[in-house]
Amino acid sequence: MLVSVDEARNYLAIDHEEDNLLITALIEAAEAYLESQIGISTDLLPNRAKSVAKVLILQLVSTWYDERSIMSEYGEATKRLLYAISAILKAEDKK
């Protein structure tokens, strides 16, 4: 996982461990969603793209944790981060 439970809890400003299982599931779901959108495992991303991917995963986890439901539409920030990762991957392919 690109994002640890501790990183997610810090991002969510949560200081208890009661929701660790939920947060873990949300991290895994966000990472799976990201991989389905970019067509590559996050393990294979170049470091620049991993930084962007971590932010996207944290944003998705935050939204899903706060809403406790799956988003029906992508937010603009999500679209921009997906585009940034795709651009980085295309630039890496040209090297």
Side-chain angles (χ1 to χ4, degrees), residues 23-62:
I23 293 169
T24 299
L26 293 174
I27 293 168
E28 290 171 354
E31 192 164 318
Y33 166 77
L34 172 60
E35 290 176 345
S36 75
Q37 295 299 301
I38 62 174
I40 186 172
S41 169
T42 55
D43 294 335
L44 301 176
L45 291 174
N47 285 335
R48 293 183 317 161
K50 282 184 181 180
S51 297
V52 178
K54 282 183 81 162
V55 171
L56 176 56
I57 290 168
L58 287 168
Q59 287 184 344
L60 289 171
V61 167
S62 177

Side-chain angles (χ1 to χ4, degrees), residues 2-95:
L2 281 181
V3 175
S4 71
V5 173
D6 287 338
E7 288 173 311
R9 282 197 357 243
N10 185 50
Y11 187 83
L12 295 167
I14 296 171
D15 60 1
H16 59 81
E17 297 181 0
E18 296 162 2
D19 287 341
N20 278 7
L21 290 176
L22 172 61
I23 293 169
T24 299
L26 293 174
I27 293 168
E28 290 171 354
E31 192 164 318
Y33 166 77
L34 172 60
E35 290 176 345
S36 75
Q37 295 299 301
I38 62 174
I40 186 172
S41 169
T42 55
D43 294 335
L44 301 176
L45 291 174
N47 285 335
R48 293 183 317 161
K50 282 184 181 180
S51 297
V52 178
K54 282 183 81 162
V55 171
L56 176 56
I57 290 168
L58 287 168
Q59 287 184 344
L60 289 171
V61 167
S62 177
T63 299
W64 293 342
Y65 183 84
D66 291 341
E67 308 263 334
R68 304 289 168 104
S69 64
I70 297 177
M71 295 182 332
S72 60
E73 292 186 30
Y74 307 126
E76 285 302 312
T78 300
K79 288 179 185 177
R80 286 192 301 272
L81 289 168
L82 284 170
Y83 178 79
I85 293 169
S86 295
I88 292 168
L89 290 174
K90 287 178 185 173
E92 291 291 319
D93 284 343
K94 292 180 181 179
K95 288 185 179 179

